[in-house]
Amino acid sequence: GGAVYSPATTDYVFMVKDTSYMFVTGPDVVKAVTHEDVTQEELGGAITHTTKSGVADIGFETDVEALENLRMFLDFLPSSNKERPPKIPTDDPADRQEPSLDSLIPENPNESYDVKELITKILDENYFFELQPDYAKNIVIGYGRMEGSTVGIVANQPMALAGCLDIDASVKAARFIRFCDCFNIPIVMLVDVPGFLPGTQQEFGGLIRHGAKLLYAFAEATVPKVTVIIRKAYGGAYIVMGSKHLRGDVNYAWPSAEIAVMGSKGAVEIIFRGDLDDDKKIKERELEYQKQFANPFRVGTRGYIDDVIMPHNTRWRIIRSLRMLRNKKQDMPWKKHGNIPL
């Protein structure tokens, strides 16, 4: 009932499978009003809330597992919003290189890879505490450490929906970014996004407003913000994923990065609409577009990225940037509160 709004207003919700339940109206009321037969577990169990509703962050198998993970989770967070996150001593060198990252990106731009491999390899001790792993899988969020200090990770996942942003992914990332900003946790964005997910279901569901939540959250955040563009960064999705245009502090790109309004095929079909009557000409124009824009150097000359970095140096370059931004202070114009597009 109404008591369910208590966990809903907290920052994070952990549940245990087969013993934890949340619902505004129980199965008996649902059956009486809508004539739907549904069990407690189906209506408001851990699996439902971690995969469909997104109300809960993680569902654990047992109480013991939940408590163990809760202890590890709390180690990442400061005691209050006036403190910095705790720093844990580490033997993992800040300048550690990862040669395997140089071959992470497939040669075929339409092939996927697991962004979690990149995340774990750049973090201290290769440890990543992922949140909401079963909800909106096309974006990955969670905590790790760099030089012993907590960082929040937001990364597109090419293995789900090709890494496109949709309604659920936008809301998931926006809420996480706002929490990091509340508690002085630097944000690291790893970008490989071909755009927002097209379709009537997304548009009718309010993708414009929900996507704006991510834009709003990142633009409003005053903590250190470091972005690395891994591969595709197209159009509006490029803008909202930690771009310079939203006050990203340091923006890097791998040599495989493509920063443009859209992919070469779509761009050619629009720019040369009506002028191309055979496949050979279309292919020539596509290759011309790729040569011009399918690399990070064009946008580099315009100041949209700070440097093109080699993948194996990613950890070291991010850490150097976080060191530089350690005492960052950014004052916002006074107002009672912002009006995020809820």
Side-chain angles (χ1 to χ4, degrees):
V4 81
Y5 294 116
S6 177
T9 55
T10 60
D11 295 308
Y12 293 102
V13 178
F14 291 167
M15 297 183 75
V16 179
K17 295 173 184 176
D18 300 319
T19 60
S20 301
Y21 307 102
M22 291 190 293
F23 30 69
V24 177
T25 53
D28 294 338
V29 177
V30 168
K31 185 173 183 179
V33 175
T34 69
H35 307 292
E36 294 175 276
D37 280 313
V38 63
T39 66
Q40 277 194 329
E41 189 66 32
E42 291 170 338
L43 183 63
I47 293 175
T48 297
H49 285 308
T50 54
T51 61
K52 296 178 182 178
S53 72
V55 173
D57 292 278
I58 308 178
F60 297 104
E61 297 294 336
T62 65
D63 289 356
V64 173
E65 184 186 354
L67 292 171
E68 286 177 347
N69 279 273
L70 181 60
R71 291 187 180 102
M72 289 189 289
F73 173 70
L74 289 174
D75 282 343
F76 287 105
L77 307 181
S79 299
S80 75
N81 64 347
K82 295 182 180 179
E83 297 180 15
R84 290 186 175 181
K87 187 166 184 175
I88 309 295
T90 179
D91 295 325
D92 198 347
D95 58 355
R96 168 171 57 82
Q97 295 188 344
E98 279 292 342
S100 61
L101 294 180
D102 290 338
S103 56
L104 177 67
I105 304 299
E107 288 187 16
N108 184 343
N110 295 320
E111 284 186 24
S112 64
Y113 60 91
D114 190 353
V115 77
K116 293 180 189 177
E117 180 182 345
L118 166 60
I119 295 170
T120 55
K121 285 181 176 177
I122 63 174
L123 294 175
D124 290 355
E125 324 294 345
N126 303 125
Y127 181 70
F128 176 54
F129 191 100
E130 186 179 1
L131 293 162
Q132 292 188 292
D134 300 315
Y135 178 73
K137 293 182 179 181
N138 43 327
I139 202 159
V140 176
I141 61 171
Y143 295 111
R145 292 187 181 88
M146 285 186 159
E147 270 199 312
S149 297
T150 303
V151 294
I153 302 288
V154 180
N156 303 113
Q157 175 59 289
M159 296 188 74
L161 295 177
C164 282
L165 289 173
D166 63 356
I167 291 172
D168 292 342
S170 299
V171 175
K172 172 181 171 179
R175 179 166 171 79
F176 179 73
I177 287 170
R178 285 174 70 82
F179 179 87
C180 289
D181 190 45
C182 285
F183 290 93
N184 313 308
I185 299 171
I187 301 165
V188 175
M189 309 279 281
L190 303 173
V191 182
D192 184 355
V193 59
F196 283 93
L197 186 65
T200 56
Q201 186 177 0
Q202 290 292 310
E203 295 293 351
F204 295 168
L207 179 61
I208 296 171
R209 177 166 42 86
H210 294 296
K213 293 175 183 177
L214 179 53
L215 182 150
Y216 187 105
F218 193 84
E220 187 186 47
T222 58
V223 293
K225 298 179 283 190
V226 180
T227 299
V228 183
I229 299 173
I230 307 305
R231 188 167 61 174
K232 299 173 183 175
Y234 293 158
Y238 152 69
I239 300 292
V240 303
M241 284 297 294
S243 67
K244 278 281 187 195
H245 318 285
L246 290 186
R247 298 191 299 191
D249 294 307
V250 180
N251 291 63
Y252 293 125
W254 281 12
S256 52
E258 301 176 22
I259 304 165
V261 174
M262 61 180 66
S264 56
K265 190 174 188 301
V268 165
E269 288 175 354
I270 291 174
I271 296 169
F272 300 101
R273 181 180 294 164
D275 294 341
L276 301 178
D277 52 6
D278 64 67
D279 292 340
K280 185 179 178 183
K281 284 185 179 179
I282 293 174
K283 198 66 182 174
E284 287 175 358
R285 290 295 190 182
E286 281 185 33
L287 292 171
E288 181 185 349
Y289 188 91
Q290 287 173 359
K291 186 177 179 181
Q292 286 280 340
F293 301 107
N295 64 73
F297 301 103
R298 187 68 176 261
V299 292
T301 61
R302 301 188 176 193
Y304 299 155
I305 59 172
D306 295 291
D307 202 358
V308 179
I309 63 173
M310 290 303 293
H312 63 259
N313 276 330
T314 303
R315 170 180 164 84
W316 174 226
R317 296 303 294 268
I318 293 174
I319 286 176
R320 281 176 53 188
S321 300
L322 292 174
R323 284 179 184 176
M324 177 183 72
L325 296 165
R326 188 170 293 150
N327 296 315
K328 175 188 173 184
K329 182 170 171 52
Q330 182 177 346
D331 293 320
M332 304 286 280
W334 186 90
K335 54 184 171 182
K336 186 175 182 182
H337 57 71
N339 189 19
I340 188 169
L342 294 172

